[in-house]
Amino acid sequence: MALFLNFNRSFILIVLLSCQLASALAANRYWVAGTAGVWNDPANWSATSGGPGGASVPGAADVAIYDANGSGNCLINVSISVQGIQIDAGYNGIITQQAGVSITIGNAGFSQAGGSFTGGDSGIDINSGTFTLSGGTFTSTSGILSVGGAFAVNVNLFSYNGGTFLHNLGTVQFDPDFTACAQRIAIVTLTSSLTFNHLIVDVTNLSCVEDLFTFSGSNAVVAGNLTHADGIFYSGTIEVLGNLFVQNDADGGSGTILINGSMNQNYSSSGSGRTAHVRINKSSGIVSASTSDFLVQQFTLDAGVFNAPTGVFRIGGAWTGNPTILTVTGGTFNHNSGTVRLDPSFSECATRTATINVPGGITFYNLIVDVDNTGCTEDILAVSGASTVIVANDFTQFDGFVNTGTIEVRGNVYLESGADGGTATILMNGTTDQTYNNTSTARFAHLRVNKSSGVVNPGVGTTDFLVQQFTLDAGVFNAPTGVFRVGGSWVGNPTIFAINGGTFNHNNGTVRIDPVFAECATRTATISTPLAVTFYNLIVDVDNTGCTEDILAVSGASTVIVAN
């Protein structure tokens, strides 16, 4: 028993001595060289500011401090790992990272208020610490400067408050890893504009949600390439003079990526990741895809030429409120024979509207409207602006309502199962034969036919078709052989069926007039036939889910005939 007690006391003593030794080793180390020296010479380091040299060279648990009491230049001549590097305003020397040596900095981070730091060609990794530049000159490595590592709370990752930042043709990578199961924010604060060469945004959550990255203050300028690798670019503006790369884990965001270089620029995606708001404002040069598909949260074209991808250009992602997701105020949008898919997703239990604003007009090749609500209501796409929206090939209403505005379709129209109708006009006015297609019970918006040549036919397999409203101005319209339902949800007193010209062929099918009113007031749905129309079968089904019964009215001087 005595032997055991003595052993136990000895073990405790060893542990205490080890802790004391570790505490002694975890210390500040001050650069005290009066002339140029090298990092790994103990004579250049002291345990106190201006104290005697001969202390240990800073190690993994230490903070290396440069202040007014050590004026000599410092050559970092070996790869180092320290807890932090602190360059005070009183230091006037030059700290140089020798070629081929790396620098690893821990959670005390890097701060510079004076002197000069000159990077080499190898990595500088600030791991679980932050970067602050308030004075002096910082010349980055021509390799990769990484600022990130593990964090559990919001962090001001990079602060530029003064001094001079020179990118040295290197790459800056913001790569924080958040561990908490809550949405966290990594912040870059710039009191004035700062230019990077290449920039990588890689904000990871190792737990359960995607995290946010934001620029606060002034714009960042990327002279080379921007890579959105992971996370949500939540706010701020990054001006990109080179190319834009989006990787698989990118999660969108409402921050602005402003592509405004004077030369040709490219964008590409290596997977299904979505980047933030892409805005094009170029005085010269063209923006082109080097990928078949591309996903953004929001898109704006102010000036310059934008060549869309040949595959699918998806604009949308997760939203709250009522966003304008696509804006064309100038420049040239070339559809490149690809597809634009408007796919915002809302989670709020309220009706939301996603708007496309095209005062200068726009021509798509294929257009898909896919406005989703994961909450409790269906949402809306609205078209604003006085100019024309043209779909040169096919239009698909995949999900949601399409309200307000006119979309001209020169090819075919398709109705998918999530569509919910709407009051926007889908104008079929191509000069060749066109088809409308549906294999579900979903409802299309206002279908209007105004053709100088060609016929509108039901597509292969389409026996039934549902629309909110139907107008025939000119051309030949062949109704489906099954049921052509015209109605859906309404307020007010709409004209839901109008024949102003052209030829309506009933095709031995049935027309069912089926508007539904929810208002507690008597409402009238009108079919307007100044020209005669012949139905094969006709069903009048005017419903009110409120408190009264509603009315169908027939207006126009010509005859309405039911052949069967």
Side-chain angles (χ1 to χ4, degrees), residues 422-456:
T423 55
T425 298
I426 312 302
L427 176 60
M428 299 185 75
N429 63 350
T431 57
T432 60
D433 289 352
Q434 296 175 262
T435 64
Y436 55 93
N437 301 267
N438 177 39
T439 57
S440 71
T441 58
R443 191 178 294 271
F444 202 64
H446 176 193
L447 180 64
R448 187 164 198 151
V449 178
N450 192 350
K451 294 174 62 66
S452 60
S453 60
V455 178
V456 175

mmCIF file of all heavy atoms in Angstrom, residues 422-456:
data_model
loop_
_atom_site.group_PDB
_atom_site.id
_atom_site.type_symbol
_atom_site.label_atom_id
_atom_site.label_comp_id
_atom_site.label_asym_id
_atom_site.label_seq_id
_atom_site.Cartn_x
_atom_site.Cartn_y
_atom_site.Cartn_z
ATOM 1 N N GLY A 422 -52.518 31.041 -63.333
ATOM 2 C CA GLY A 422 -52.019 32.406 -63.270
ATOM 3 C C GLY A 422 -52.644 33.275 -64.343
ATOM 4 O O GLY A 422 -53.245 32.794 -65.304
ATOM 5 N N THR A 423 -52.475 34.588 -64.176
ATOM 6 C CA THR A 423 -53.113 35.540 -65.080
ATOM 7 C C THR A 423 -52.161 36.102 -66.126
ATOM 8 O O THR A 423 -52.573 36.916 -66.953
ATOM 9 C CB THR A 423 -53.701 36.708 -64.271
ATOM 10 O OG1 THR A 423 -52.663 37.293 -63.470
ATOM 11 C CG2 THR A 423 -54.816 36.214 -63.367
ATOM 12 N N ALA A 424 -50.887 35.723 -66.101
ATOM 13 C CA ALA A 424 -49.961 36.154 -67.153
ATOM 14 C C ALA A 424 -50.393 35.558 -68.488
ATOM 15 O O ALA A 424 -51.010 34.486 -68.553
ATOM 16 C CB ALA A 424 -48.541 35.730 -66.820
ATOM 17 N N THR A 425 -50.030 36.242 -69.573
ATOM 18 C CA THR A 425 -50.384 35.782 -70.908
ATOM 19 C C THR A 425 -49.220 35.018 -71.530
ATOM 20 O O THR A 425 -48.112 35.542 -71.632
ATOM 21 C CB THR A 425 -50.749 36.969 -71.817
ATOM 22 O OG1 THR A 425 -51.902 37.619 -71.269
ATOM 23 C CG2 THR A 425 -51.048 36.501 -73.231
ATOM 24 N N ILE A 426 -49.495 33.781 -71.929
ATOM 25 C CA ILE A 426 -48.545 32.980 -72.704
ATOM 26 C C ILE A 426 -49.048 33.040 -74.143
ATOM 27 O O ILE A 426 -50.040 32.400 -74.494
ATOM 28 C CB ILE A 426 -48.451 31.540 -72.191
ATOM 29 C CG1 ILE A 426 -48.280 31.512 -70.659
ATOM 30 C CG2 ILE A 426 -47.319 30.813 -72.892
ATOM 31 C CD1 ILE A 426 -47.067 32.247 -70.141
ATOM 32 N N LEU A 427 -48.375 33.827 -74.956
ATOM 33 C CA LEU A 427 -48.829 34.121 -76.314
ATOM 34 C C LEU A 427 -48.132 33.203 -77.303
ATOM 35 O O LEU A 427 -46.923 33.282 -77.504
ATOM 36 C CB LEU A 427 -48.523 35.584 -76.650
ATOM 37 C CG LEU A 427 -48.853 36.055 -78.064
ATOM 38 C CD1 LEU A 427 -50.341 35.903 -78.355
ATOM 39 C CD2 LEU A 427 -48.401 37.497 -78.258
ATOM 40 N N MET A 428 -48.903 32.311 -77.934
ATOM 41 C CA MET A 428 -48.361 31.429 -78.966
ATOM 42 C C MET A 428 -48.495 32.145 -80.310
ATOM 43 O O MET A 428 -49.603 32.300 -80.835
ATOM 44 C CB MET A 428 -49.093 30.089 -78.966
ATOM 45 C CG MET A 428 -48.972 29.323 -77.653
ATOM 46 S SD MET A 428 -49.719 27.670 -77.699
ATOM 47 C CE MET A 428 -48.513 26.757 -78.654
ATOM 48 N N ASN A 429 -47.365 32.614 -80.843
ATOM 49 C CA ASN A 429 -47.404 33.418 -82.067
ATOM 50 C C ASN A 429 -46.290 33.048 -83.047
ATOM 51 O O ASN A 429 -45.880 33.885 -83.862
ATOM 52 C CB ASN A 429 -47.347 34.908 -81.726
ATOM 53 C CG ASN A 429 -46.051 35.319 -81.027
ATOM 54 O OD1 ASN A 429 -45.261 34.470 -80.618
ATOM 55 N ND2 ASN A 429 -45.846 36.614 -80.889
ATOM 56 N N GLY A 430 -45.818 31.810 -82.971
ATOM 57 C CA GLY A 430 -44.838 31.360 -83.947
ATOM 58 C C GLY A 430 -45.446 31.215 -85.335
ATOM 59 O O GLY A 430 -46.670 31.105 -85.495
ATOM 60 N N THR A 431 -44.599 31.193 -86.353
ATOM 61 C CA THR A 431 -45.093 31.123 -87.736
ATOM 62 C C THR A 431 -45.228 29.701 -88.251
ATOM 63 O O THR A 431 -45.736 29.481 -89.346
ATOM 64 C CB THR A 431 -44.156 31.908 -88.662
ATOM 65 O OG1 THR A 431 -42.826 31.382 -88.544
ATOM 66 C CG2 THR A 431 -44.152 33.387 -88.304
ATOM 67 N N THR A 432 -44.775 28.714 -87.473
ATOM 68 C CA THR A 432 -44.933 27.306 -87.857
ATOM 69 C C THR A 432 -45.923 26.637 -86.912
ATOM 70 O O THR A 432 -46.410 27.252 -85.959
ATOM 71 C CB THR A 432 -43.578 26.584 -87.810
ATOM 72 O OG1 THR A 432 -43.055 26.643 -86.470
ATOM 73 C CG2 THR A 432 -42.580 27.237 -88.755
ATOM 74 N N ASP A 433 -46.207 25.358 -87.151
ATOM 75 C CA ASP A 433 -47.100 24.618 -86.256
ATOM 76 C C ASP A 433 -46.510 24.568 -84.850
ATOM 77 O O ASP A 433 -45.299 24.421 -84.667
ATOM 78 C CB ASP A 433 -47.320 23.196 -86.773
ATOM 79 C CG ASP A 433 -48.185 23.161 -88.034
ATOM 80 O OD1 ASP A 433 -48.730 24.222 -88.404
ATOM 81 O OD2 ASP A 433 -48.293 22.077 -88.656
ATOM 82 N N GLN A 434 -47.399 24.666 -83.861
ATOM 83 C CA GLN A 434 -46.991 24.610 -82.460
ATOM 84 C C GLN A 434 -47.905 23.640 -81.711
ATOM 85 O O GLN A 434 -49.038 23.400 -82.123
ATOM 86 C CB GLN A 434 -47.081 26.008 -81.822
ATOM 87 C CG GLN A 434 -46.132 27.044 -82.433
ATOM 88 C CD GLN A 434 -46.338 28.426 -81.847
ATOM 89 O OE1 GLN A 434 -47.027 29.249 -82.433
ATOM 90 N NE2 GLN A 434 -45.742 28.694 -80.689
ATOM 91 N N THR A 435 -47.399 23.105 -80.595
ATOM 92 C CA THR A 435 -48.193 22.174 -79.798
ATOM 93 C C THR A 435 -48.255 22.625 -78.348
ATOM 94 O O THR A 435 -47.370 23.311 -77.855
ATOM 95 C CB THR A 435 -47.620 20.746 -79.856
ATOM 96 O OG1 THR A 435 -46.307 20.723 -79.269
ATOM 97 C CG2 THR A 435 -47.546 20.233 -81.279
ATOM 98 N N TYR A 436 -49.327 22.226 -77.685
ATOM 99 C CA TYR A 436 -49.419 22.362 -76.234
ATOM 100 C C TYR A 436 -49.468 20.946 -75.667
ATOM 101 O O TYR A 436 -50.082 20.050 -76.243
ATOM 102 C CB TYR A 436 -50.644 23.184 -75.825
ATOM 103 C CG TYR A 436 -51.964 22.701 -76.358
ATOM 104 C CD1 TYR A 436 -52.775 21.831 -75.619
ATOM 105 C CD2 TYR A 436 -52.426 23.117 -77.613
ATOM 106 C CE1 TYR A 436 -53.996 21.392 -76.114
ATOM 107 C CE2 TYR A 436 -53.638 22.684 -78.107
ATOM 108 C CZ TYR A 436 -54.419 21.819 -77.356
ATOM 109 O OH TYR A 436 -55.620 21.378 -77.838
ATOM 110 N N ASN A 437 -48.801 20.740 -74.525
ATOM 111 C CA ASN A 437 -48.558 19.383 -74.035
ATOM 112 C C ASN A 437 -48.818 19.292 -72.541
ATOM 113 O O ASN A 437 -48.408 20.165 -71.771
ATOM 114 C CB ASN A 437 -47.104 18.987 -74.311
ATOM 115 C CG ASN A 437 -46.751 19.022 -75.788
ATOM 116 O OD1 ASN A 437 -46.840 18.036 -76.482
ATOM 117 N ND2 ASN A 437 -46.325 20.201 -76.263
ATOM 118 N N ASN A 438 -49.488 18.196 -72.148
ATOM 119 C CA ASN A 438 -49.816 18.001 -70.740
ATOM 120 C C ASN A 438 -50.126 16.540 -70.494
ATOM 121 O O ASN A 438 -50.832 15.902 -71.274
ATOM 122 C CB ASN A 438 -51.031 18.852 -70.351
ATOM 123 C CG ASN A 438 -51.448 18.636 -68.917
ATOM 124 O OD1 ASN A 438 -50.602 18.505 -68.042
ATOM 125 N ND2 ASN A 438 -52.749 18.570 -68.673
ATOM 126 N N THR A 439 -49.595 16.004 -69.406
ATOM 127 C CA THR A 439 -49.935 14.636 -68.994
ATOM 128 C C THR A 439 -50.415 14.615 -67.548
ATOM 129 O O THR A 439 -50.392 13.576 -66.897
ATOM 130 C CB THR A 439 -48.723 13.707 -69.149
ATOM 131 O OG1 THR A 439 -47.620 14.221 -68.384
ATOM 132 C CG2 THR A 439 -48.308 13.575 -70.606
ATOM 133 N N SER A 440 -50.829 15.787 -67.011
ATOM 134 C CA SER A 440 -51.231 15.868 -65.608
ATOM 135 C C SER A 440 -52.550 16.628 -65.506
ATOM 136 O O SER A 440 -53.163 16.982 -66.505
ATOM 137 C CB SER A 440 -50.147 16.604 -64.807
ATOM 138 O OG SER A 440 -50.151 17.986 -65.143
ATOM 139 N N THR A 441 -52.973 16.913 -64.265
ATOM 140 C CA THR A 441 -54.193 17.691 -64.025
ATOM 141 C C THR A 441 -53.850 19.117 -63.598
ATOM 142 O O THR A 441 -54.697 19.817 -63.049
ATOM 143 C CB THR A 441 -55.046 17.021 -62.941
ATOM 144 O OG1 THR A 441 -54.275 16.908 -61.729
ATOM 145 C CG2 THR A 441 -55.512 15.648 -63.385
ATOM 146 N N ALA A 442 -52.623 19.537 -63.824
ATOM 147 C CA ALA A 442 -52.227 20.897 -63.475
ATOM 148 C C ALA A 442 -52.847 21.891 -64.452
ATOM 149 O O ALA A 442 -53.330 21.523 -65.528
ATOM 150 C CB ALA A 442 -50.704 21.010 -63.485
ATOM 151 N N ARG A 443 -52.788 23.174 -64.061
ATOM 152 C CA ARG A 443 -53.431 24.212 -64.858
ATOM 153 C C ARG A 443 -52.404 25.237 -65.341
ATOM 154 O O ARG A 443 -51.528 25.665 -64.597
ATOM 155 C CB ARG A 443 -54.524 24.910 -64.048
ATOM 156 C CG ARG A 443 -55.427 25.828 -64.903
ATOM 157 C CD ARG A 443 -56.515 26.450 -64.049
ATOM 158 N NE ARG A 443 -57.465 25.487 -63.529
ATOM 159 C CZ ARG A 443 -58.580 25.097 -64.133
ATOM 160 N NH1 ARG A 443 -58.880 25.570 -65.332
ATOM 161 N NH2 ARG A 443 -59.395 24.239 -63.550
ATOM 162 N N PHE A 444 -52.547 25.607 -66.610
ATOM 163 C CA PHE A 444 -51.700 26.584 -67.280
ATOM 164 C C PHE A 444 -52.238 27.987 -67.002
ATOM 165 O O PHE A 444 -53.352 28.169 -66.509
ATOM 166 C CB PHE A 444 -51.715 26.289 -68.781
ATOM 167 C CG PHE A 444 -50.559 26.812 -69.573
ATOM 168 C CD1 PHE A 444 -49.276 26.357 -69.351
ATOM 169 C CD2 PHE A 444 -50.767 27.753 -70.572
ATOM 170 C CE1 PHE A 444 -48.211 26.817 -70.102
ATOM 171 C CE2 PHE A 444 -49.721 28.227 -71.332
ATOM 172 C CZ PHE A 444 -48.427 27.755 -71.087
ATOM 173 N N ALA A 445 -51.458 29.009 -67.340
ATOM 174 C CA ALA A 445 -51.892 30.400 -67.198
ATOM 175 C C ALA A 445 -52.823 30.787 -68.357
ATOM 176 O O ALA A 445 -53.511 29.930 -68.919
ATOM 177 C CB ALA A 445 -50.663 31.305 -67.128
ATOM 178 N N HIS A 446 -52.850 32.041 -68.725
ATOM 179 C CA HIS A 446 -53.683 32.527 -69.826
ATOM 180 C C HIS A 446 -53.033 32.134 -71.152
ATOM 181 O O HIS A 446 -51.968 32.651 -71.508
ATOM 182 C CB HIS A 446 -53.825 34.050 -69.720
ATOM 183 C CG HIS A 446 -54.574 34.675 -70.849
ATOM 184 N ND1 HIS A 446 -54.573 36.043 -71.073
ATOM 185 C CD2 HIS A 446 -55.363 34.157 -71.836
ATOM 186 C CE1 HIS A 446 -55.299 36.319 -72.133
ATOM 187 N NE2 HIS A 446 -55.802 35.194 -72.621
ATOM 188 N N LEU A 447 -53.648 31.248 -71.881
ATOM 189 C CA LEU A 447 -53.148 30.828 -73.189
ATOM 190 C C LEU A 447 -53.814 31.684 -74.259
ATOM 191 O O LEU A 447 -55.035 31.678 -74.414
ATOM 192 C CB LEU A 447 -53.447 29.346 -73.420
ATOM 193 C CG LEU A 447 -52.974 28.771 -74.751
ATOM 194 C CD1 LEU A 447 -51.454 28.822 -74.861
ATOM 195 C CD2 LEU A 447 -53.471 27.342 -74.928
ATOM 196 N N ARG A 448 -52.967 32.398 -75.000
ATOM 197 C CA ARG A 448 -53.483 33.277 -76.056
ATOM 198 C C ARG A 448 -52.844 32.876 -77.384
ATOM 199 O O ARG A 448 -51.625 32.680 -77.468
ATOM 200 C CB ARG A 448 -53.165 34.731 -75.738
ATOM 201 C CG ARG A 448 -53.827 35.721 -76.702
ATOM 202 C CD ARG A 448 -53.829 37.136 -76.149
ATOM 203 N NE ARG A 448 -54.807 37.972 -76.837
ATOM 204 C CZ ARG A 448 -55.441 39.000 -76.300
ATOM 205 N NH1 ARG A 448 -55.207 39.326 -75.040
ATOM 206 N NH2 ARG A 448 -56.318 39.699 -77.008
ATOM 207 N N VAL A 449 -53.638 32.740 -78.434
ATOM 208 C CA VAL A 449 -53.158 32.309 -79.747
ATOM 209 C C VAL A 449 -53.375 33.456 -80.732
ATOM 210 O O VAL A 449 -54.501 33.949 -80.895
ATOM 211 C CB VAL A 449 -53.893 31.041 -80.217
ATOM 212 C CG1 VAL A 449 -53.421 30.643 -81.605
ATOM 213 C CG2 VAL A 449 -53.676 29.907 -79.214
ATOM 214 N N ASN A 450 -52.259 33.867 -81.357
ATOM 215 C CA ASN A 450 -52.328 34.941 -82.357
ATOM 216 C C ASN A 450 -51.283 34.648 -83.426
ATOM 217 O O ASN A 450 -50.151 35.123 -83.364
ATOM 218 C CB ASN A 450 -52.082 36.300 -81.703
ATOM 219 C CG ASN A 450 -52.419 37.449 -82.640
ATOM 220 O OD1 ASN A 450 -52.668 37.256 -83.829
ATOM 221 N ND2 ASN A 450 -52.405 38.659 -82.100
ATOM 222 N N LYS A 451 -51.668 33.840 -84.428
ATOM 223 C CA LYS A 451 -50.729 33.315 -85.407
ATOM 224 C C LYS A 451 -51.090 33.779 -86.819
ATOM 225 O O LYS A 451 -52.244 33.713 -87.231
ATOM 226 C CB LYS A 451 -50.721 31.781 -85.383
ATOM 227 C CG LYS A 451 -50.179 31.180 -84.084
ATOM 228 C CD LYS A 451 -50.329 29.668 -84.037
ATOM 229 C CE LYS A 451 -49.552 28.952 -85.122
ATOM 230 N NZ LYS A 451 -48.079 29.090 -84.953
ATOM 231 N N SER A 452 -50.051 34.222 -87.526
ATOM 232 C CA SER A 452 -50.255 34.584 -88.928
ATOM 233 C C SER A 452 -50.198 33.368 -89.835
ATOM 234 O O SER A 452 -50.711 33.390 -90.965
ATOM 235 C CB SER A 452 -49.200 35.598 -89.359
ATOM 236 O OG SER A 452 -47.890 35.049 -89.214
ATOM 237 N N SER A 453 -49.580 32.288 -89.365
ATOM 238 C CA SER A 453 -49.517 31.035 -90.127
ATOM 239 C C SER A 453 -49.265 29.898 -89.159
ATOM 240 O O SER A 453 -48.851 30.105 -88.026
ATOM 241 C CB SER A 453 -48.410 31.096 -91.192
ATOM 242 O OG SER A 453 -47.146 31.314 -90.591
ATOM 243 N N GLY A 454 -49.498 28.678 -89.635
ATOM 244 C CA GLY A 454 -49.312 27.522 -88.777
ATOM 245 C C GLY A 454 -50.535 27.234 -87.925
ATOM 246 O O GLY A 454 -51.471 28.042 -87.828
ATOM 247 N N VAL A 455 -50.528 26.063 -87.287
ATOM 248 C CA VAL A 455 -51.661 25.558 -86.508
ATOM 249 C C VAL A 455 -51.176 25.227 -85.099
ATOM 250 O O VAL A 455 -50.043 24.781 -84.917
ATOM 251 C CB VAL A 455 -52.251 24.294 -87.180
ATOM 252 C CG1 VAL A 455 -53.401 23.718 -86.365
ATOM 253 C CG2 VAL A 455 -52.702 24.609 -88.605
ATOM 254 N N VAL A 456 -52.030 25.449 -84.116
ATOM 255 C CA VAL A 456 -51.758 25.025 -82.742
ATOM 256 C C VAL A 456 -52.517 23.742 -82.479
ATOM 257 O O VAL A 456 -53.755 23.703 -82.574
ATOM 258 C CB VAL A 456 -52.160 26.108 -81.728
ATOM 259 C CG1 VAL A 456 -51.970 25.595 -80.300
ATOM 260 C CG2 VAL A 456 -51.356 27.381 -81.950
#
